[in-house]
């Protein structure tokens, strides 16, 4: 192993009036051939900016390297000319990004975009370029390389796009591959495949990989060495085993402690009282077609979905994107209209009710949304956001205000939040506001649609605890939508696994984890990153038995 | 199905769909014009100065204006079906002949205006976005603001004063010099010479719009992730700007251009009046004041057809530029 990259005392300066003067300060990091170094940290830790600094892709002139060296084979990348940097980028050092949809140009074919890498670095006849591009797409295991060459990004799935990105990055056999959260936007089974691919490619080419991630599961699966960052500082570096097994810095300990266990929570007695019963729910999305016919596309988002929810229990609906889990949630709350089936709440079928008839039932079933940034009106004060519901249902201003203050307290926010606007709060705090808003109408059922997937792992743990606590205190029943089996294991009493609009398995969480019946459930469980690392040592290895 | 076959199918489908739309527009226009006070007979009588009620009734009967509205509409629709747009009593000519005479000058003016406005607008927007916050950007933004804020007729008059009267470079009005009896290329040259000032006047306003739109669109696209990817690949800045960003940035401009072709016919009335350009705008203007409803309806119908056709062309251009939009 020879050293490829040596970062010494790197400082990255932020614009004058930012929260802190340096995004990254005094960073040291080494990367050698044929190793994978994971840089882990929560949002705002400076991990992505470090990656960009190596590529010379910082958003200049606002953000720039203030001091320090980035030595690539002895050449300081901070000081080299723009032309030299451009020559290195894509040939010696290349990069893949988080969101493969936006990272590819939507109006150019994959073939053209791969071809650019060859064209701008080497003189090569176009026939040879094409042959090499084809070979690359073949190497990253795209199903039909010929077709993929001619395809536009939107014609590929998320996983396929990321494979194409990897092909592009590896086109000229670079010495360093920088991967900036390359699997965060992917489904768990796809993520497992892409991680495997990156590892394989790294091994065959002897590439040094700098892998940026927030997910300790991913770290456990692929890292050789780990570098933990907090607020721009490297707090701990070491081999994977050192850092994961024997973390020294309290922050590392806290982060690893916050990774949800893949051990299902202990089973609780189930109440006999059923509060919600969903029977043979159907929802189809149609697109295309029109006045003069023409076959549009049909997607069966909910296909014969049946489940019930007992008082006080949390039912998890798990599945990958496109499985229909969010559609089901939205149909239950009547944000979307299902075409057939029953939604029985206290014996009343909500599905066919009109707007007015639905109103008295609305307060009983409330929703917490995924994106705490988009789901709160940026022009309305927090107090009003929460109090609006009760006022609409006839509460007086004073009562609504008292209730709101009480709720703010319950979700762990200061009473001063009442007169603030949502943008003044962090993601986790906003999600607390969202929860308080949902609770304001004193619902019987809370439907939470991926309530923690936009949050950092340490915040996730807090919100999950809060939700559990509230469910306990208010005797709520909860439908909890998630794609993350770790999260599901933490909060759900029972699980319904969905795939392509169908519920393929329902059962108590522990049972589903220990003895999955459906093949797809087994795949999902096997794909959870780092599954063998973060189980309590004294607990039986349920997952190992399943895989 | 191949792309060409799909396109052809799409065009046929869209043309079929446009039939009910056009009929609806005709009916709507017909009733809209009935809302206006007075008819052609009132105007004729007013101009003659001494028409008796009996004579006016006789005229109305002759023009078919004494029939109930529904019958008038049915007759009109039937005639339109056979491509007969009726007779202009004012001009004493069939409407279709009148329009046929005037449509070419208008189309000529429109096409040259759109070409120049979009072409230069895209160019200026590009230059401004590439030199963000430099003097070029500022100069272009000020130019766009001034041309956008200046009334069309005033620009037209000033151009005439400066370039026609003082400098004598361009003719003051009209489309060609009939007195010279030019033929062949001489005539083309003569018309082009007459076309310069009206086109500049009309395109200045739209030019400002496209410049600003293009600048904003370029800046927005330059911040997208795929630009970072292209940089990470080691692609040159020129290639990033002119290939990656430009193509994406053009999409909103194309949409806007499609919408504005319709508005152009309206905007050309002023320019046609200032430069005595013998186009549809002028004709519509005259027809409105003489309550020549047949002629107006004919012009409206033609504009509707034009807008429908242009929209179809824009949609096809758009699907070529943006592979995400499928024609089917």
């Amino acid at each position: 192993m020879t050293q490829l990259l040596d970062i010494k005392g790197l400082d990255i300066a932020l614009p004058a009036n930012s929260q802190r003067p340096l995004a990254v300060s005094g960073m040291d990091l080494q990367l050698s051939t044929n190793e994978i170094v994971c840089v882990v940290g929560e949002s705002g830790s400076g991990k992505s900016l470090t990656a960009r600094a190596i590529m010379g892709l910082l958003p200049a002139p606002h953000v720039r390297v203030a001091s320090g060296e980035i030595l690539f084979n002895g050449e300081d990348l901070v000081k080299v000319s723009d032309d030299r940097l451009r020559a290195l980028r894509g040939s010696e050092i290349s990069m893949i990004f988080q969101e493969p949809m936006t990272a590819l140009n939507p109006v150019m074919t994959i073939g053209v975009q791969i071809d650019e890498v060859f064209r701008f670095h080497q003189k090569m006849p176009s026939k040879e370029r094409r042959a090499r591009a084809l070979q690359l797409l073949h190497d990253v295991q795209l199903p039909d390389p010929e077709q993929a060459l001619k395809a536009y990004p939107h014609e590929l799935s998320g996983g396929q796009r990321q494979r194409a990105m990897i092909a592009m990055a590896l086109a000229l056999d670079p010495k360093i591959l920088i991967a900036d959260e390359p699997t965060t936007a992917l489904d768990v089974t796809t993520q497992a495949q892409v991680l495997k691919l990156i590892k394989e490619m790294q091994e065959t080419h002897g590439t040094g990989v700098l892998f940026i991630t927030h997910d300790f599961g991913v770290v456990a699966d692929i890292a050789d060495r780990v570098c933990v960052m907090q607020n721009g500082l490297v707090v701990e570096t070491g081999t994977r085993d050192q850092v994961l097994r024997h973390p020294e810095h309290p922050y590392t300990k806290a982060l690893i402690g916050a990774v949800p266990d893949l051990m299902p929570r202990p089973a609780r007695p189930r109440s006999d009282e059923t509060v919600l019963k969903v029977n043979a729910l159907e929802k189809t999305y149609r697109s295309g077609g029109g006045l003069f016919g023409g076959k549009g596309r049909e997607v069966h988002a909910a296909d014969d979905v049946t489940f019930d929810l007992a008082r006080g229990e949390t039912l998890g609906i798990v599945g990958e994107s496109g499985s229909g889990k969010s559609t089901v949630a939205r149909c239950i709350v009547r944000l979307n209209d299902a075409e057939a089936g029953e939604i029985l709440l206290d014996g009343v079928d909500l599905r066919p009710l009109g707007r007015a008839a639905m109103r008295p039932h609305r307060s009983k079933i409330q929703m917490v949304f995924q994106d705490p940034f988009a789901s709160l009106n940026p022009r309305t004060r927090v107090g009003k956001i929460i109090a609006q519901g009760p006022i609409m249902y006839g509460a007086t201003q004073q009562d609504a205000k008292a209730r709101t203050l009480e709720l703010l307290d319950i979700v762990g926010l200061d009473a001063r939040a009442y007169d603030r606007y949502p943008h003044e709060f962090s993601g986790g705090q906003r999600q607390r506001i969202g929860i308080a808003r949902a609770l304001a109408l004193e619902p019987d059922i809370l439907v939470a649609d991926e309530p923690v997937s936009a949050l950092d792992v340490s915040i996730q743990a807090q919100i999950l605890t809060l939700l559990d606590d509230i469910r306990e205190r208010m005797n709520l029943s909860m439908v909890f939508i998630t794609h993350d089996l770790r999260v599901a294991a933490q909060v759900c009493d029972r699980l319904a696994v969905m795939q392509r609009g169908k519920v393929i398995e329902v059962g108590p969480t522990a049972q589903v984890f220990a003895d999955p019946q459906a093949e797809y459930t087994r795949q999902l469980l096997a794909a959870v990153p780092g599954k063998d690392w973060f189980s309590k040592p004294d607990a039986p290895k349920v997952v190992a038995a399943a895989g | 199905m191949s792309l060409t076959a799909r396109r052809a199918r799409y065009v046929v489908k869209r043309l079929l769909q446009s039939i009910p739309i056009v009929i609806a527009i005709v009916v709507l226009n017909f009733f809209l014009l009935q809302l206006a006070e007075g008819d052609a007979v009132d105007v004729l009588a007013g101009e003659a100065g001494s028409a008796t009620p009996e004579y006016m009734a006789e005229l109305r009967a002759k023009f078919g204006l004494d029939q109930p509205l529904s019958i008038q509409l049915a007759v009109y629709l039937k005639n339109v079906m056979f491509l007969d747009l009726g007779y202009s009593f004012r001009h004493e000519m069939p409407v279709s002949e009148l329009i046929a005479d005037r449509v070419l000058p208008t189309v000529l003016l429109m096409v040259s205006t759109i070409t120049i406005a979009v072409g230069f607008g895209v160019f200026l927007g590009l230059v401004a976005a590439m030199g963000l916050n430099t003097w070029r950007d500022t100069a272009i933004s000020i130019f766009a603001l001034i041309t956008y804020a200046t009334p069309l007729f005033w620009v037209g008059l000033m151009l005439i004063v400066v370039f026609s009267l003082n400098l004598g470079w361009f003719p003051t009005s009209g489309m060609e010099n009939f007195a010279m009896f030019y033929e062949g290329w001489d005539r083309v040259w003569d018309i082009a010479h007459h076309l310069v000032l009206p086109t500049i006047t009309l395109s200045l306003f739209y030019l400002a719009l496209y410049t600003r739109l293009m600048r904003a669109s370029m800046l927005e696209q330059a911040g997208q992730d795929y630009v970072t990817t292209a940089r990470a690949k080691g692609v040159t800045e020129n290639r990033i700007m002119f290939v990656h960003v430009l193509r994406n940035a053009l999409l909103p401009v194309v949409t806007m251009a499609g919408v504005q072709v319709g508005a152009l016919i309206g905007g050309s009335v002023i320019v046609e009046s200032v430069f005595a350009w013998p186009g549809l705008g002028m004709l519509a203007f005259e027809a409105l004041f003489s309550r020549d409803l047949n002629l107006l309806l004919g012009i409206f119908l033609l504009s509707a057809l034009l807008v429908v056709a242009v929209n179809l062309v824009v949609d096809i251009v758009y699907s070529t530029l943006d592979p995400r939009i499928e024609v089917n």
Side-chain angles (χ1 to χ4, degrees):
Chain A
M1 287 215 296
T2 49
Q3 195 173 71
L4 283 173
L5 191 68
D6 187 7
I7 301 178
K8 290 182 191 162
L10 180 69
D11 284 351
I12 299 176
L14 287 172
N17 46 9
S18 316
Q19 279 187 326
R20 54 178 201 249
L22 294 178
V24 171
S25 101
M27 169 150 194
D28 293 312
L29 183 76
Q30 285 78 38
L31 176 71
S32 303
T33 53
N34 204 13
E35 77 166 345
I36 299 182
V37 173
C38 276
V39 180
V40 209
E42 297 188 289
S43 48
S45 62
K47 54 190 195 305
S48 281
L49 284 180
T50 308
R52 305 239 159 165
I54 300 168
M55 295 292 282
L57 288 177
L58 288 176
H62 318 292
V63 180
R64 61 196 169 77
V65 173
S67 65
E69 293 179 323
I70 301 174
L71 297 173
F72 169 67
N73 283 338
E75 192 177 4
D76 188 356
L77 297 182
V78 177
K79 296 206 178 70
V80 296
S81 69
D82 284 353
D83 281 338
R84 176 66 187 145
L85 253 184
R86 185 174 307 133
L88 287 175
R89 289 201 290 250
S91 64
E92 302 280 313
I93 310 175
S94 55
M95 186 158 177
I96 50 180
F97 299 88
Q98 171 169 352
E99 186 43 81
M101 182 71 228
T102 58
L104 290 167
N105 191 330
V107 301
M108 288 164 86
T109 59
I110 301 290
V112 172
Q113 296 191 54
I114 294 181
D115 191 53
E116 279 185 332
V117 185
F118 295 122
R119 277 179 57 189
F120 283 85
H121 291 292
Q122 285 180 0
K123 282 212 170 358
M124 220 189 275
S126 65
K127 241 188 173 159
E128 193 187 333
R129 294 203 304 254
R130 198 187 125 83
R132 290 202 32 190
L134 205 59
Q135 183 58 40
L136 276 168
L137 292 179
H138 184 76
D139 290 347
V140 295
Q141 297 149 26
L142 273 172
D144 187 352
E146 283 278 353
Q147 196 62 44
L149 218 49
K150 282 181 279 181
Y152 289 96
H154 71 278
E155 293 167 332
L156 302 179
S157 72
Q160 290 173 339
R161 281 195 286 263
Q162 200 57 293
R163 282 170 196 273
M165 271 301 285
I166 293 171
M168 203 181 295
L170 295 178
L172 292 173
D173 209 350
K175 300 205 171 54
I176 297 178
L177 174 67
I178 299 174
D180 189 357
E181 305 252 15
T183 57
T184 309
L186 303 177
D187 276 326
V188 56
T189 49
T190 317
Q191 162 169 299
Q193 292 162 8
V194 170
L195 285 178
K196 189 161 151 264
L197 175 70
I198 291 177
K199 186 115 182 149
E200 276 170 21
M201 299 301 265
Q202 176 261 332
E203 276 163 3
T204 38
H205 296 261
T207 320
V209 176
L210 191 70
F211 197 104
I212 317 284
T213 183
H214 67 281
D215 186 341
F216 268 98
V218 172
V219 174
D221 275 355
I222 65 159
D224 293 311
R225 288 194 304 122
V226 184
C227 165
V228 184
M229 291 186 76
Q230 180 193 20
N231 296 333
L233 295 169
V234 175
V235 295
E236 186 158 358
T237 338
T239 64
R240 171 178 61 169
D241 291 28
Q242 269 172 2
V243 174
L244 294 190
R245 294 278 187 232
H246 312 289
E248 292 191 346
H249 194 277
Y251 180 69
T252 316
K253 284 182 189 161
L255 273 187
I256 292 176
V259 176
D261 217 326
L262 201 51
M263 274 300 300
R265 57 197 256 161
R268 297 180 301 137
R270 194 174 178 217
S271 153
D272 296 333
E273 185 191 353
T274 303
V275 282
L276 178 75
K277 196 163 168 49
V278 173
N279 250 339
L281 201 69
E282 300 274 346
K283 172 80 188 169
T284 313
Y285 289 109
R286 290 186 180 80
S287 62
L291 198 59
F292 283 81
K295 266 257 161 89
R297 262 196 306 226
E298 275 194 11
V299 180
H300 238 70
D303 185 358
D304 194 17
V305 172
T306 300
F307 59 82
D308 48 15
L309 182 70
R311 179 163 306 281
E313 98 174 330
T314 301
L315 171 74
I317 302 185
V318 295
E320 299 187 293
S321 52
S323 63
K325 55 189 193 304
S326 283
T327 302
V328 170
R330 297 176 69 87
C331 285
I332 298 174
V333 191
R334 288 294 312 277
L335 289 175
N336 286 2
D337 289 329
E339 286 126 21
E342 288 178 316
I343 305 165
L344 293 168
L345 176 71
D346 297 330
V348 181
D349 186 4
L350 301 183
R351 193 192 66 80
L353 297 185
R355 282 180 86 93
M358 182 64 202
R359 181 152 301 164
H361 302 282
R362 279 237 189 255
S363 65
K364 290 188 208 154
I365 181 159
Q366 285 293 307
M367 188 150 179
V368 177
F369 296 90
Q370 169 172 7
D371 189 340
F373 293 85
S375 59
L376 299 175
N377 185 342
R379 304 253 183 278
T380 311
R381 290 176 203 274
V382 169
K384 196 174 164 203
I385 289 176
I386 300 172
Q388 249 169 4
I391 290 174
M392 212 107 79
Y393 276 88
T396 62
Q397 293 280 350
Q398 288 89 346
D399 288 352
K401 180 163 186 181
R403 174 88 185 122
T404 303
L405 291 173
E406 187 191 339
L407 281 167
L408 284 174
D409 185 50
I410 290 175
V411 298
L413 287 174
D414 197 285
R416 279 174 299 179
Y418 192 89
D419 284 321
R420 300 256 173 92
Y421 287 97
H423 69 85
E424 297 173 59
F425 296 88
S426 69
Q429 288 169 330
R430 283 188 225 200
Q431 200 56 295
R432 287 170 192 271
I433 298 170
I435 293 169
R437 187 203 57 76
L439 293 175
L441 291 173
E442 300 176 16
D444 291 333
I445 298 170
L446 205 58
V447 177
D449 187 4
E450 301 263 15
V452 295
S453 61
L455 305 175
D456 276 328
V457 60
S458 56
I459 316 282
Q460 263 188 17
Q462 295 167 13
I463 298 288
L464 290 178
T465 317
L466 174 70
L467 280 173
D468 221 29
D469 188 41
I470 287 170
R471 183 186 50 70
E472 198 73 39
R473 258 168 80 172
M474 304 193 167
N475 199 19
L476 285 175
S477 313
M478 194 150 57
V479 177
F480 193 100
I481 316 289
T482 182
H483 69 282
D484 189 335
L485 287 175
R486 289 181 185 284
V487 169
Q490 288 310 292
V491 291
C492 299
D493 299 303
R494 293 197 314 133
L495 285 185
V497 183
M498 284 191 72
Q499 185 191 22
R500 287 190 223 110
K502 283 197 165 68
V503 174
I504 55 166
E505 184 160 3
V506 194
T509 308
Q511 193 184 320
V512 172
F513 272 56
D515 184 20
Q517 297 302 307
E519 174 57 30
Y520 178 69
T521 315
R522 274 194 282 276
Q523 282 174 21
L524 273 185
L525 281 164
V528 174
K531 56 186 175 300
D532 303 328
W533 281 79
F534 299 103
S535 310
K536 291 194 185 80
D538 51 333
K541 290 253 172 189
V542 252
V543 180
Chain B
M1 230 188 316
S2 77
L3 190 68
T4 341
R6 230 170 36 206
R7 287 245 161 99
R9 245 182 73 119
Y10 177 72
V11 170
V12 170
K13 194 175 121 187
R14 279 283 297 265
L15 288 177
L16 285 176
Q17 281 176 345
S18 60
I19 293 173
I21 297 177
V22 170
I23 292 177
I25 292 175
V26 169
V27 173
L28 200 71
N29 283 335
F30 184 84
F31 286 115
L32 207 63
L33 288 183
Q34 297 299 333
L35 289 180
E37 286 286 317
D39 56 16
V41 175
D42 287 327
V43 177
L44 285 176
E47 281 174 2
S50 62
T52 58
E54 292 74 28
Y55 177 60
M56 284 171 72
E58 195 185 316
L59 267 181
R60 285 212 170 88
K62 191 177 146 205
F63 296 163
L65 295 174
D66 54 347
Q67 303 286 329
L69 266 189
S70 51
I71 301 230
Q72 288 188 41
L73 175 62
V75 170
Y76 185 73
L77 276 178
K78 194 199 84 194
N79 288 343
V80 167
M81 219 70 90
F82 295 104
L83 298 180
D84 173 12
L85 296 180
Y87 190 81
S88 162
F89 305 110
R90 181 81 191 165
H91 294 263
E92 303 198 319
M93 267 172 93
V95 168
S96 41
E97 266 176 49
L98 268 172
I99 290 180
D101 263 1
R102 300 292 195 100
V103 73
L104 266 180
T106 291
V107 168
L108 191 62
L109 186 60
M110 268 172 55
V111 169
S112 54
T113 300
I114 275 284
T115 314
I116 289 192
V118 173
F120 276 91
V122 164
F123 174 74
L124 289 179
L126 191 68
V127 172
M130 287 183 65
L132 186 64
N133 296 331
T134 61
W135 65 269
R136 263 171 300 170
D137 182 21
T138 319
I140 290 172
S141 295
I142 291 177
F143 170 75
L145 186 69
I146 292 176
T147 51
Y148 188 68
T150 317
L152 277 179
F153 73 91
W154 190 82
V155 174
L157 290 176
M158 286 304 114
L159 287 178
I160 291 177
V161 168
V162 175
F163 292 100
S164 303
L165 299 182
N166 285 348
L167 294 170
W169 292 355
F170 298 103
T172 51
S173 66
M175 189 172 85
E176 55 184 322
N177 200 339
F178 286 109
M180 302 300 288
F181 296 103
Y182 286 124
E183 275 176 27
W185 284 109
D186 285 336
R187 184 162 176 228
V188 172
W189 179 247
D190 185 41
I191 293 177
H193 196 210
H194 280 82
L195 190 61
V196 172
L197 288 187
T199 304
I200 291 179
T201 310
L202 194 51
S203 54
L204 268 182
F205 175 80
Y206 294 100
L207 177 70
L209 277 184
Y210 290 114
T211 305
R212 301 186 69 146
L213 183 64
M214 186 65 189
R215 178 177 177 273
S217 176
M218 284 291 285
L219 291 180
E220 189 200 326
Q221 291 297 326
Q224 297 291 315
D225 287 352
Y226 66 82
V227 176
T228 314
T229 309
R231 282 210 180 98
K233 284 195 291 192
V235 174
T236 56
E237 287 300 313
N238 276 343
R239 165 107 181 158
I240 290 175
M241 270 297 165
F242 292 113
V243 178
H244 284 263
V245 177
L246 181 61
R247 203 171 149 194
N248 281 291
L250 275 178
L251 296 175
V253 174
V254 172
T255 313
M256 184 79 156
V259 174
Q260 279 194 334
V261 167
L264 251 179
I265 301 177
S268 67
V269 173
I270 297 171
V271 172
E272 286 182 6
S273 319
V274 171
F275 290 96
W277 188 262
L280 279 180
M282 281 269 275
L283 192 64
F285 188 68
E286 291 161 14
L288 187 65
F289 276 91
S290 53
R291 296 285 183 274
D292 196 344
L293 301 191
N294 269 346
L295 182 53
L296 264 182
L297 278 174
I299 294 171
F300 288 171
L301 176 64
L302 187 77
S303 332
L305 289 175
L306 216 58
V307 169
V308 166
V310 168
N311 273 337
L312 181 58
V313 171
V314 165
D315 283 353
I316 287 176
V317 169
Y318 205 88
S319 75
T320 321
L321 278 176
D322 189 345
R324 286 166 294 184
I325 310 292
E326 280 177 35
V327 292
N328 57 27

